[in-house]
């Protein structure tokens, strides 16, 4: 598996708390998050470490704003990890659900900053530029920002997610190998999200990094807006146009790939394409995707440690608070692991088939 360190600056970009869950109690004497002073020195007394960690986090307010929460395994998985961890530490944790409404998301984040309702913001950026102003405003307000899964053009204090380029390269290598073994046409199609988000842009880059040198053509790129119905419609249209002149779909995320798999199965049932002539490849592998894999709807995925993203966000939050560095004074990018899974190894892979809780 290729490992790449990625330093990015991509240039393209009344809140109501929904699905809220609160843990811990706010201490009136708790210092502000940004620039509060360092918790640990070069040495630590063994029995003091736990006390100091809990004291540093007690009463801290952490706000998690994903693109969608209720019913979405990806973000609910992160939220469950965060709620458990921050609850254990005595911090207050709140989820705000904009329900896939970008305008609502920006209003929610701006309101949290204006009210100083958080010491740390954990953000799931829908687009490389959407939350640029809010991240800058949070920095000015002394609020730390941790961005997860989709990087933004303004980095914030920390970014945590999968290495999209490397994951796309690995799964494209698998698709290319499968196509070559079948003697299929060297033609692939991409179905991504909005197209101007980091996941889509990096996915496309990784696909082309492998497909182009191998002599494969990406015949089209369709944008699903992360909607399963649009992903399925796009796949149906592409199949109708390409028929047997296509070898595989490279779909940016798992749930959209299941919808694409449905379109492929339907085309096979109607005799539009032969069985096993068109592979469906993706990134991530939740429990619904694993069910589809066992049913033969999808082919393989660059599964990544979704659970690890939520846990790493908690760790990053603790580190920011403990160092006491001013908000916006440090910037880091960190990747969780990924690996290619298929029917042969999915049940033995710990980071595959994740659930929402």
């Amino acid at each position: 598996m290729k490992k790449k360190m990625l330093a990015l600056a991509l240039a393209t970009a009344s809140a109501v708390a929904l699905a809220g869950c609160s843990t811990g109690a706010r201490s009136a004497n708790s210092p502000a998050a940004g620039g509060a002073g360092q918790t640990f020195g070069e040495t630590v007394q063994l029995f003091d470490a736990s006390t100091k960690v809990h004291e540093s986090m007690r009463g801290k307010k952490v706000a998690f704003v994903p693109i969608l929460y209720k019913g979405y395994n990806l973000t609910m998985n992160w939220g469950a990890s965060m709620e458990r961890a921050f609850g254990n530490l005595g911090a207050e944790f709140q989820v705000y659900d904009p329900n896939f409404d970008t305008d609502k998301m920006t209003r929610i984040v701006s309101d949290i900053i204006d009210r100083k309702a958080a010491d740390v913001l954990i953000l799931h950026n829908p687009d490389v530029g959407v939350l640029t102003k809010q991240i800058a405003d949070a920095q000015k307000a002394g609020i730390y920002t941790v961005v997860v899964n989709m990087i933004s053009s303004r980095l914030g204090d920390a970014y945590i997610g999968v290495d999209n380029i490397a994951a796309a390269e690995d799964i494209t290598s698998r698709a290319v190998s499968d196509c070559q073994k079948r003697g299929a046409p060297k033609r692939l199609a991409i179905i991504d999200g909005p197209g101007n988000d980091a996941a889509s842009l990096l996915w496309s880059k990784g696909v082309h990094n492998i497909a182009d040198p191998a002599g494969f053509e990406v015949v089209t790129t369709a944008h699903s807006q992360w909607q399963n119905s649009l992903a399925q419609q796009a796949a149906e249209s592409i199949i109708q146009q390409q028929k047997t002149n296509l070898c595989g779909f490279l779909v940016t995320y798992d749930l959209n790939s299941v919808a694409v798999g449905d379109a492929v199965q339907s085309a096979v049932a109607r005799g539009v394409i032969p069985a096993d002539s068109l592979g469906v490849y993706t990134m991530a592998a939740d429990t619904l995707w694993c069910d589809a894999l066992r049913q033969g709807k999808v082919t393989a995925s660059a599964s990544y440690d979704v659970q690890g993203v939520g846990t790493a966000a908690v760790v990053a939050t603790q580190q920011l608070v403990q160092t006491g560095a001013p908000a916006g004074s440090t910037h880091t990018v960190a990747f969780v692991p990924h690996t290619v899974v298929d029917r042969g190894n999915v049940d033995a892979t710990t980071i595959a088939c994740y659930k929402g809780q």
Side-chain angles (χ1 to χ4, degrees), residues 47-69:
F47 300 113
D48 289 346
S50 175
T51 300
K52 286 191 172 185
V53 170
H54 283 262
E55 286 177 348
S56 70
M57 290 301 299
R58 186 177 299 120
K60 289 292 185 294
K61 294 182 289 185
V62 182
F64 176 38
V65 190
I67 59 175
L68 171 68
Y69 195 69

Side-chain angles (χ1 to χ4, degrees), residues 346-357:
V346 69
D347 291 324
T349 304
T350 58
I351 59 175
C353 309
Y354 68 89
K355 298 180 181 179
Q357 297 292 335

Side-chain angles (χ1 to χ4, degrees), residues 132-187:
T132 297
K133 180 181 183 300
Q134 284 72 24
I135 292 172
D137 289 344
Q139 176 181 331
K140 293 174 185 175
I143 299 170
Y144 293 124
T145 53
V146 178
V147 178
V148 295
N149 211 54
M150 291 195 286
I151 203 163
S152 56
S153 56
R154 189 177 186 98
L155 193 56
D157 296 281
Y159 167 76
I160 300 154
V162 64
D163 185 343
N164 296 90
I165 291 180
E169 289 175 343
D170 288 345
I171 197 63
T172 304
S173 294
R174 169 60 185 270
V176 165
S177 176
D178 287 352
C179 292
Q180 290 171 336
K181 289 177 183 176
R182 295 200 307 269
K186 293 185 175 183
R187 294 164 67 85

Side-chain angles (χ1 to χ4, degrees), residues 244-301:
T244 59
N245 291 321
L246 190 68
C247 178
F249 284 104
L250 288 155
V251 189
T252 308
Y253 278 118
D254 48 3
L255 294 185
N256 283 172
S257 77
V258 174
V260 172
D262 288 335
V264 172
Q265 279 201 341
S266 175
V268 170
R270 291 181 286 110
V272 177
I273 57 174
D276 301 320
S277 64
L278 191 52
V280 180
Y281 306 88
T282 190
M283 175 176 63
D286 86 335
T287 185
L288 299 176
W289 182 88
C290 288
D291 289 342
L293 177 69
R294 298 182 187 105
Q295 295 164 14
K297 291 183 180 182
V298 292
T299 310
S301 176

Side-chain angles (χ1 to χ4, degrees), residues 183-260:
K186 293 185 175 183
R187 294 164 67 85
L188 303 166
I190 293 174
I191 297 179
D192 59 19
N196 59 352
D197 62 289
S200 297
L201 293 166
L202 298 172
W203 179 259
S204 182
K205 172 66 173 170
V207 169
H208 281 282
N209 283 352
I210 299 300
D212 294 354
F216 277 66
E217 178 187 3
V218 176
V219 296
T220 188
T221 297
H223 308 307
S224 72
Q225 311 301 323
W226 309 129
Q227 302 297 318
N228 291 340
S229 59
L230 294 180
Q232 185 166 348
Q233 290 171 20
E236 289 170 348
S237 176
I238 293 167
I239 292 169
Q240 190 61 40
Q241 293 168 9
Q242 299 294 329
K243 295 185 171 64
T244 59
N245 291 321
L246 190 68
C247 178
F249 284 104
L250 288 155
V251 189
T252 308
Y253 278 118
D254 48 3
L255 294 185
N256 283 172
S257 77
V258 174
V260 172

